[in-house]
Amino acid sequence: MSDTADRIVKEAMRLFGEKGYERTTIADIQKAAGLHPGSGALYKHFPSKEAVLQAGLDKLAAASRQAKTLMAELQGPAPDVMLRLGAAALAMLEEEQDALRIIWRELEAFPQMRDAARDARLQTTYAALAQWLRARSASGELRVDDPEAAAVVVLGSINMFRLFENLLGGRLMGLDDERFLRAWHSLLTQGMLPARVPDVTDERA
């Protein structure tokens, strides 16, 4: 994708998220992207406004693949990895706020795009986390009876925290990212870490 096409997609997704897809015109997109509003320059890169929307959602799917790769590559003790995953998820959701608004508000008229975004972005990420939880549970690092359900709880809480801010314009309970992440990580590690087996030195103490 050329720099101009990438700029068109970026500005269009911002406008779709702010104004709505139907209320955003081709002229609006061209002006925001630094093109002459009445020039029709957008059509040199995309055949329609819908094609621009599709390109934006395709970029969202690419971000999901990056998240899956991140889960596979992060090494270290499970609690440390979970903290890094949580921070990365919050950052990605912040970067994707326009696309998330569009998915939740604008795709009813585009059921195929909606379903593809659901499967490519949401389901894929949850499935990758479930796979990671299953592997760590099998190794004995974590205690997870139902990895799929646990993945929904783990990511669902992060998604709702960020969606509340993105869709409603405020912070749940006034929490900032750091405070939320600290509580999130504490609850997860307490609930998922295996019970500690007492050491003989503890009994002698």
Side-chain angles (χ1 to χ4, degrees), residues 123-178:
Q123 297 280 27
T124 298
T125 306
Y126 279 89
L129 179 58
Q131 182 179 357
W132 183 86
L133 290 171
R134 181 178 289 104
R136 292 293 178 126
S137 183
S139 71
E141 285 189 83
L142 298 176
R143 177 176 50 84
V144 183
D145 297 328
D146 187 338
E148 285 75 22
V152 172
V153 172
V154 171
L155 275 183
S157 56
I158 292 179
N159 283 329
M160 180 50 65
F161 176 73
R162 191 60 91 207
L163 279 171
F164 187 95
E165 176 187 9
N166 289 346
L167 298 181
L168 301 179
R171 290 291 186 111
L172 277 167
M173 304 295 291
L175 298 181
D176 59 20
D177 287 4
E178 182 179 354

Side-chain angles (χ1 to χ4, degrees), residues 21 32 53 66 80 88 95 98 100 107 134 151 153 161 164 166 195 198:
Y21 177 83
L53 173 61
Q66 292 175 1
D80 293 346
E95 293 176 2
D98 294 324
L100 291 174
L107 293 188
R134 181 178 289 104
V153 172
F161 176 73
F164 187 95
N166 289 346

Side-chain angles (χ1 to χ4, degrees), residues 17-37:
E18 292 176 358
K19 299 175 59 175
Y21 177 83
E22 292 296 337
R23 291 186 295 276
T24 300
T25 66
I26 293 293
D28 291 335
I29 298 171
Q30 292 182 150
K31 181 178 180 180
L35 306 173
H36 192 281

Side-chain angles (χ1 to χ4, degrees), residues 9 21 46-56 58 113:
V9 171
Y21 177 83
F46 300 97
S48 65
K49 184 170 73 168
E50 184 176 333
V52 178
L53 173 61
Q54 181 64 68
D58 288 344
M113 286 190 194

